[in-house]
Amino acid sequence: MDYRYHCFIPAEYGSNALPFNPCRLLDFSLLKLDSGQSWSGESGDREILAVILGGRASFTVGDHTFPDVGGRPDVFSGKPHAVYIPAGTLVTITATGPVEIALPSAPSELAVEPYVIEPARVVAGRWGAANFSRPYHQILTEISQPDLPAARLIVGETFTPSGNWSTYPPHRHTYDNLPVEAQHEEMYYFRVKPGDGFGISRVYTDDGYEENFTVRDHAMQMMPAGYHTVVSAPGYTTYFLWFLAGTQRTQGALEDANLSWVSRTVPMLRDLGH
């Protein structure tokens, strides 16, 4: 089996790192703490967006303290809180209850102060229509939060309903060719509801590589390149935290030309109430 683009991340107490990583820029770890437990580290030459998946924690980031950040019990229960941790910063996270925190990161030379992103700043919406309709949260993007500084990271959440498709038609962001396409690596971190459910993730490239794998809780899809799409099995909802990094933060995605006609049906399907 080729594990070039996917894996499962551990979900043990403490900091859980990727077992391997094909990306040059992006990295990810999952922090799981019980009430009262703490974790300390340093961002080094990377910016980090700490996304509260569920629970609450207090953050000390350099000289700044952000007490009791969080609130939703899990990723399927509302918008997230997040904390931006700039490069070159010491950080301590202390759980004020059981907490899970996603820590996507990317290289940065940006000298800014840390900040909290409250749920009110997270933009919610819906992409697609019919059985490729899916709700999303934009947590830190150049479009929805242009006043929030970041060097490379672009971060959001997508919820793929039972039997539906996400990132459909499949798209890629492999080459810098704006305004059509911008080169960005991307990763997906998955959760599934109910927890014993599954989905399917597909990645394929122009040079003939193709990978289809079963999405389950704590699965990771890592995409240094290629078209990608996700589908949920009937009866289950899949969540994924998506995060991108490239040479710049302007987004541009190129749809698979063989399937791009599907996008043209969205206005009609929405007019019909789908």
Side-chain angles (χ1 to χ4, degrees):
M1 183 179 294
D2 190 338
Y3 286 97
R4 179 153 63 113
Y5 284 169
H6 80 267
C7 68
F8 288 87
I9 191 165
E12 302 169 351
Y13 282 103
S15 178
N16 299 272
L18 292 173
F20 69 94
N21 184 357
C23 292
R24 294 184 307 106
L25 299 174
L26 282 175
D27 202 359
F28 179 84
S29 63
L30 174 67
L31 183 63
K32 183 175 180 180
L33 300 173
D34 205 351
S35 182
Q37 290 183 326
S38 292
W39 172 87
S40 295
E42 186 175 1
S43 57
D45 62 355
R46 306 181 70 80
E47 61 182 0
I48 303 170
L49 189 70
V51 180
I52 310 294
L53 302 174
R56 294 176 179 269
S58 294
F59 288 73
T60 300
V61 186
D63 297 329
H64 298 261
T65 299
F66 306 116
D68 203 26
V69 180
R72 65 179 181 179
D74 56 59
V75 298
F76 299 101
S77 302
K79 295 179 178 180
H81 289 74
V83 179
Y84 178 84
I85 302 168
T89 307
L90 295 171
V91 55
T92 297
I93 302 173
T94 302
T96 54
V99 68
E100 287 187 337
I101 303 172
L103 298 171
S105 68
S108 173
E109 297 179 353
L110 188 64
V112 295
E113 299 296 322
Y115 55 86
V116 174
I117 302 174
E118 300 282 349
R121 294 300 313 272
V122 175
V123 174
R126 179 172 71 106
W127 285 316
N131 67 336
F132 58 104
S133 171
R134 63 276 188 194
Y136 66 81
H137 292 155
Q138 291 184 334
I139 304 170
L140 180 63
T141 75
E142 85 286 6
I143 298 171
S144 296
Q145 295 87 6
D147 59 316
L148 298 182
R152 297 180 190 269
L153 280 176
I154 303 167
V155 185
E157 300 176 318
T158 294
F159 304 82
T160 311
S162 165
N164 280 25
W165 292 77
S166 279
T167 318
Y168 199 89
H171 68 233
R172 75 174 193 206
H173 23 81
T174 304
Y175 304 104
D176 272 325
N177 183 28
L178 288 171
V180 176
E181 183 177 5
Q183 189 279 322
H184 283 111
E185 299 174 345
E186 186 168 21
M187 292 187 184
Y188 290 168
Y189 164 72
F190 289 97
R191 301 302 298 264
V192 183
K193 182 181 180 181
D196 62 347
F198 71 97
I200 301 292
S201 180
R202 182 188 183 209
V203 175
Y204 58 101
T205 64
D206 294 300
D207 60 4
Y209 178 81
E210 181 172 359
E211 173 180 288
N212 298 276
F213 90 101
T214 304
V215 169
R216 295 192 183 274
D217 245 4
H218 304 296
M220 294 293 306
Q221 181 77 72
M222 301 171 288
M223 295 166 284
Y227 299 96
H228 39 279
T229 187
V230 175
V231 61
S232 290
Y236 300 96
T237 300
T238 55
Y239 157 98
F240 56 92
L241 180 76
W242 45 266
F243 45 103
L244 303 91
T247 56
Q248 36 70 33
R249 294 187 74 227
T250 301
Q251 296 185 67
L254 180 68
E255 292 182 345
D256 184 335
N258 294 319
L259 296 168
S260 61
W261 64 269
V262 176
S263 289
R264 297 193 291 273
T265 69
V266 170
M268 177 188 67
L269 288 169
R270 288 194 171 186
D271 285 345
L272 294 172
H274 298 293

